Amino acid sequence: MIAAVGLVVGVVVGVLLRPEVPVVLQPYLPIAVVAALDAVFGGLRAVLDGIFDDKVFVVSFLSNAVVAALIVYLGDQLGVGSQLSTGVVVVLGVRIFSNVAAIRRHLFNA
């Protein structure tokens, strides 16, 4: 319940304050969001499997976002940022769909 309230409060504050992302960080924001979604779906899958650990979730959430952003930053420095961004999104997308499939199988016994 606390998480749901926190989510609602965060969305309302974001809509009201309309924070701006600095131009320098804008290329990394979508990658960080996809990495965070990967951690969230992995956490939900772990909850349904009965193996959820909050420490593992927090470390996974933060490390996914940081590592994905570092890979894109490295790609920008090498001049292949868009290719590495695509690679990161594909890898994380596969993980997200894998977790969603496992969640679906768990919920619908399919």
Short mmCIF file of all heavy atoms in Angstrom, two decimals, residues 10-46:
data_model
loop_
_atom_site.label_atom_id
_atom_site.label_comp_id
_atom_site.label_asym_id
_atom_site.label_seq_id
_atom_site.Cartn_x
_atom_site.Cartn_y
_atom_site.Cartn_z
N GLY A 10 4.37 10.54 -6.34
CA GLY A 10 5.44 10.85 -7.28
C GLY A 10 4.91 11.33 -8.62
O GLY A 10 5.43 12.29 -9.21
N VAL A 11 3.87 10.69 -9.11
CA VAL A 11 3.29 11.09 -10.39
C VAL A 11 2.66 12.48 -10.28
O VAL A 11 2.85 13.34 -11.15
CB VAL A 11 2.24 10.05 -10.88
CG1 VAL A 11 1.43 10.58 -12.04
CG2 VAL A 11 2.93 8.76 -11.26
N VAL A 12 1.93 12.72 -9.19
CA VAL A 12 1.30 14.03 -9.00
C VAL A 12 2.35 15.13 -8.90
O VAL A 12 2.23 16.18 -9.54
CB VAL A 12 0.38 14.02 -7.76
CG1 VAL A 12 -0.07 15.42 -7.39
CG2 VAL A 12 -0.83 13.12 -8.00
N VAL A 13 3.39 14.90 -8.10
CA VAL A 13 4.46 15.90 -7.96
C VAL A 13 5.14 16.14 -9.31
O VAL A 13 5.42 17.29 -9.67
CB VAL A 13 5.48 15.46 -6.89
CG1 VAL A 13 6.72 16.33 -6.91
CG2 VAL A 13 4.84 15.50 -5.51
N GLY A 14 5.39 15.08 -10.07
CA GLY A 14 6.02 15.22 -11.38
C GLY A 14 5.17 16.02 -12.35
O GLY A 14 5.67 16.85 -13.11
N VAL A 15 3.85 15.78 -12.33
CA VAL A 15 2.95 16.50 -13.22
C VAL A 15 2.87 17.98 -12.82
O VAL A 15 2.86 18.87 -13.68
CB VAL A 15 1.54 15.85 -13.22
CG1 VAL A 15 0.53 16.75 -13.91
CG2 VAL A 15 1.60 14.50 -13.90
N LEU A 16 2.81 18.24 -11.52
CA LEU A 16 2.68 19.62 -11.05
C LEU A 16 3.96 20.43 -11.23
O LEU A 16 3.92 21.58 -11.64
CB LEU A 16 2.24 19.65 -9.59
CG LEU A 16 0.83 19.14 -9.30
CD1 LEU A 16 0.55 19.14 -7.80
CD2 LEU A 16 -0.21 19.95 -10.05
N LEU A 17 5.11 19.82 -10.90
CA LEU A 17 6.37 20.56 -10.95
C LEU A 17 7.03 20.55 -12.33
O LEU A 17 7.88 21.40 -12.61
CB LEU A 17 7.35 20.00 -9.91
CG LEU A 17 6.93 20.16 -8.45
CD1 LEU A 17 7.99 19.58 -7.54
CD2 LEU A 17 6.67 21.61 -8.11
N ARG A 18 6.68 19.58 -13.15
CA ARG A 18 7.25 19.45 -14.49
C ARG A 18 8.78 19.61 -14.49
O ARG A 18 9.32 20.58 -15.05
CB ARG A 18 6.64 20.45 -15.45
CG ARG A 18 5.16 20.26 -15.65
CD ARG A 18 4.72 20.92 -16.94
NE ARG A 18 3.30 20.77 -17.11
CZ ARG A 18 2.74 19.76 -17.78
NH1 ARG A 18 3.49 18.83 -18.30
NH2 ARG A 18 1.44 19.70 -17.91
N PRO A 19 9.48 18.66 -13.86
CA PRO A 19 10.94 18.78 -13.82
C PRO A 19 11.54 18.65 -15.22
O PRO A 19 11.00 17.95 -16.08
CB PRO A 19 11.37 17.62 -12.94
CG PRO A 19 10.26 16.63 -13.06
CD PRO A 19 9.01 17.44 -13.27
N GLU A 20 12.64 19.35 -15.44
CA GLU A 20 13.32 19.30 -16.74
C GLU A 20 14.61 18.50 -16.60
O GLU A 20 15.35 18.68 -15.64
CB GLU A 20 13.64 20.71 -17.23
CG GLU A 20 12.40 21.51 -17.57
CD GLU A 20 12.75 22.85 -18.17
OE1 GLU A 20 13.87 23.01 -18.70
OE2 GLU A 20 11.88 23.73 -18.13
N VAL A 21 14.83 17.63 -17.55
CA VAL A 21 16.05 16.84 -17.57
C VAL A 21 17.10 17.64 -18.33
O VAL A 21 16.84 18.12 -19.44
CB VAL A 21 15.81 15.48 -18.27
CG1 VAL A 21 17.09 14.68 -18.36
CG2 VAL A 21 14.72 14.70 -17.56
N PRO A 22 18.30 17.80 -17.75
CA PRO A 22 19.34 18.54 -18.46
C PRO A 22 19.64 17.90 -19.82
O PRO A 22 19.57 16.68 -19.99
CB PRO A 22 20.56 18.42 -17.54
CG PRO A 22 19.98 18.13 -16.20
CD PRO A 22 18.72 17.37 -16.44
N VAL A 23 19.96 18.72 -20.78
CA VAL A 23 20.20 18.26 -22.15
C VAL A 23 21.29 17.19 -22.20
O VAL A 23 21.20 16.24 -22.97
CB VAL A 23 20.57 19.46 -23.06
CG1 VAL A 23 20.94 19.00 -24.46
CG2 VAL A 23 19.43 20.45 -23.11
N VAL A 24 22.28 17.32 -21.34
CA VAL A 24 23.40 16.37 -21.32
C VAL A 24 22.91 14.97 -20.92
O VAL A 24 23.44 13.97 -21.40
CB VAL A 24 24.48 16.86 -20.34
CG1 VAL A 24 25.60 15.86 -20.20
CG2 VAL A 24 25.02 18.21 -20.78
N LEU A 25 21.91 14.89 -20.08
CA LEU A 25 21.43 13.60 -19.58
C LEU A 25 20.29 13.01 -20.40
O LEU A 25 19.91 11.86 -20.20
CB LEU A 25 20.99 13.73 -18.13
CG LEU A 25 22.06 14.14 -17.13
CD1 LEU A 25 21.47 14.27 -15.75
CD2 LEU A 25 23.20 13.14 -17.14
N GLN A 26 19.72 13.77 -21.31
CA GLN A 26 18.56 13.31 -22.07
C GLN A 26 18.78 12.02 -22.85
O GLN A 26 17.88 11.18 -22.90
CB GLN A 26 18.04 14.42 -22.98
CG GLN A 26 17.31 15.49 -22.22
CD GLN A 26 16.82 16.61 -23.10
OE1 GLN A 26 17.06 16.61 -24.31
NE2 GLN A 26 16.14 17.57 -22.50
N PRO A 27 19.94 11.78 -23.45
CA PRO A 27 20.11 10.51 -24.17
C PRO A 27 20.10 9.29 -23.26
O PRO A 27 19.82 8.18 -23.70
CB PRO A 27 21.49 10.64 -24.84
CG PRO A 27 21.81 12.08 -24.82
CD PRO A 27 21.08 12.67 -23.66
N TYR A 28 20.38 9.48 -21.98
CA TYR A 28 20.49 8.35 -21.06
C TYR A 28 19.19 8.05 -20.34
O TYR A 28 19.02 6.97 -19.79
CB TYR A 28 21.59 8.63 -20.04
CG TYR A 28 22.88 9.03 -20.70
CD1 TYR A 28 23.35 10.33 -20.63
CD2 TYR A 28 23.61 8.10 -21.42
CE1 TYR A 28 24.52 10.69 -21.26
CE2 TYR A 28 24.78 8.45 -22.07
CZ TYR A 28 25.23 9.76 -21.98
OH TYR A 28 26.38 10.12 -22.61
N LEU A 29 18.25 8.97 -20.33
CA LEU A 29 17.01 8.78 -19.59
C LEU A 29 16.17 7.60 -20.11
O LEU A 29 15.74 6.77 -19.30
CB LEU A 29 16.19 10.07 -19.59
CG LEU A 29 14.90 10.02 -18.78
CD1 LEU A 29 15.21 9.75 -17.32
CD2 LEU A 29 14.14 11.31 -18.93
N PRO A 30 15.95 7.47 -21.42
CA PRO A 30 15.16 6.32 -21.87
C PRO A 30 15.82 4.99 -21.53
O PRO A 30 15.13 4.02 -21.18
CB PRO A 30 15.07 6.50 -23.39
CG PRO A 30 15.40 7.91 -23.64
CD PRO A 30 16.29 8.35 -22.52
N ILE A 31 17.13 4.93 -21.61
CA ILE A 31 17.85 3.71 -21.28
C ILE A 31 17.70 3.39 -19.80
O ILE A 31 17.47 2.25 -19.41
CB ILE A 31 19.34 3.84 -21.66
CG1 ILE A 31 19.50 4.14 -23.15
CG2 ILE A 31 20.12 2.60 -21.27
CD1 ILE A 31 18.92 3.11 -24.06
N ALA A 32 17.80 4.41 -18.96
CA ALA A 32 17.64 4.20 -17.52
C ALA A 32 16.22 3.74 -17.19
O ALA A 32 16.03 2.88 -16.32
CB ALA A 32 17.98 5.48 -16.77
N VAL A 33 15.22 4.28 -17.89
CA VAL A 33 13.83 3.87 -17.65
C VAL A 33 13.63 2.40 -18.04
O VAL A 33 13.02 1.63 -17.30
CB VAL A 33 12.86 4.79 -18.42
CG1 VAL A 33 11.44 4.23 -18.42
CG2 VAL A 33 12.88 6.19 -17.82
N VAL A 34 14.16 2.00 -19.18
CA VAL A 34 14.03 0.60 -19.61
C VAL A 34 14.77 -0.32 -18.63
O VAL A 34 14.27 -1.39 -18.28
CB VAL A 34 14.54 0.42 -21.06
CG1 VAL A 34 14.60 -1.05 -21.44
CG2 VAL A 34 13.66 1.19 -22.02
N ALA A 35 15.94 0.10 -18.16
CA ALA A 35 16.68 -0.70 -17.19
C ALA A 35 15.90 -0.82 -15.88
O ALA A 35 15.86 -1.88 -15.26
CB ALA A 35 18.06 -0.09 -16.94
N ALA A 36 15.27 0.27 -15.46
CA ALA A 36 14.47 0.23 -14.24
C ALA A 36 13.25 -0.67 -14.42
O ALA A 36 12.89 -1.42 -13.50
CB ALA A 36 14.05 1.64 -13.85
N LEU A 37 12.62 -0.61 -15.59
CA LEU A 37 11.48 -1.50 -15.86
C LEU A 37 11.90 -2.97 -15.80
O LEU A 37 11.16 -3.81 -15.31
CB LEU A 37 10.86 -1.18 -17.21
CG LEU A 37 9.98 0.06 -17.27
CD1 LEU A 37 9.58 0.33 -18.72
CD2 LEU A 37 8.76 -0.11 -16.40
N ASP A 38 13.09 -3.26 -16.30
CA ASP A 38 13.61 -4.62 -16.23
C ASP A 38 13.70 -5.07 -14.77
O ASP A 38 13.30 -6.17 -14.42
CB ASP A 38 14.98 -4.71 -16.91
CG ASP A 38 15.62 -6.07 -16.72
OD1 ASP A 38 14.95 -7.09 -16.97
OD2 ASP A 38 16.79 -6.11 -16.32
N ALA A 39 14.22 -4.21 -13.91
CA ALA A 39 14.33 -4.55 -12.49
C ALA A 39 12.96 -4.72 -11.85
O ALA A 39 12.75 -5.64 -11.04
CB ALA A 39 15.14 -3.49 -11.76
N VAL A 40 12.02 -3.87 -12.21
CA VAL A 40 10.67 -3.95 -11.63
C VAL A 40 9.99 -5.27 -12.02
O VAL A 40 9.43 -5.97 -11.18
CB VAL A 40 9.81 -2.74 -12.06
CG1 VAL A 40 8.35 -2.95 -11.72
CG2 VAL A 40 10.33 -1.48 -11.39
N PHE A 41 10.04 -5.62 -13.30
CA PHE A 41 9.42 -6.87 -13.73
C PHE A 41 10.15 -8.08 -13.15
O PHE A 41 9.53 -9.09 -12.82
CB PHE A 41 9.33 -6.96 -15.25
CG PHE A 41 8.22 -6.13 -15.82
CD1 PHE A 41 8.49 -5.03 -16.60
CD2 PHE A 41 6.90 -6.44 -15.56
CE1 PHE A 41 7.47 -4.25 -17.13
CE2 PHE A 41 5.87 -5.67 -16.07
CZ PHE A 41 6.16 -4.57 -16.86
N GLY A 42 11.47 -7.98 -13.02
CA GLY A 42 12.22 -9.05 -12.36
C GLY A 42 11.82 -9.19 -10.90
O GLY A 42 11.70 -10.30 -10.38
N GLY A 43 11.60 -8.06 -10.23
CA GLY A 43 11.15 -8.10 -8.84
C GLY A 43 9.77 -8.69 -8.70
O GLY A 43 9.50 -9.48 -7.79
N LEU A 44 8.86 -8.33 -9.61
CA LEU A 44 7.51 -8.89 -9.58
C LEU A 44 7.55 -10.40 -9.81
O LEU A 44 6.85 -11.15 -9.13
CB LEU A 44 6.64 -8.21 -10.63
CG LEU A 44 5.18 -8.64 -10.69
CD1 LEU A 44 4.49 -8.44 -9.35
CD2 LEU A 44 4.45 -7.86 -11.77
N ARG A 45 8.39 -10.82 -10.73
CA ARG A 45 8.54 -12.26 -10.97
C ARG A 45 9.08 -12.96 -9.73
O ARG A 45 8.60 -14.03 -9.35
CB ARG A 45 9.47 -12.49 -12.15
CG ARG A 45 9.71 -13.94 -12.45
CD ARG A 45 10.68 -14.13 -13.59
NE ARG A 45 10.87 -15.53 -13.90
CZ ARG A 45 11.66 -15.97 -14.85
NH1 ARG A 45 12.33 -15.11 -15.60
NH2 ARG A 45 11.79 -17.24 -15.07
N ALA A 46 10.04 -12.34 -9.06
CA ALA A 46 10.60 -12.93 -7.84
C ALA A 46 9.55 -13.02 -6.74
O ALA A 46 9.52 -14.00 -5.99
CB ALA A 46 11.80 -12.12 -7.37
#
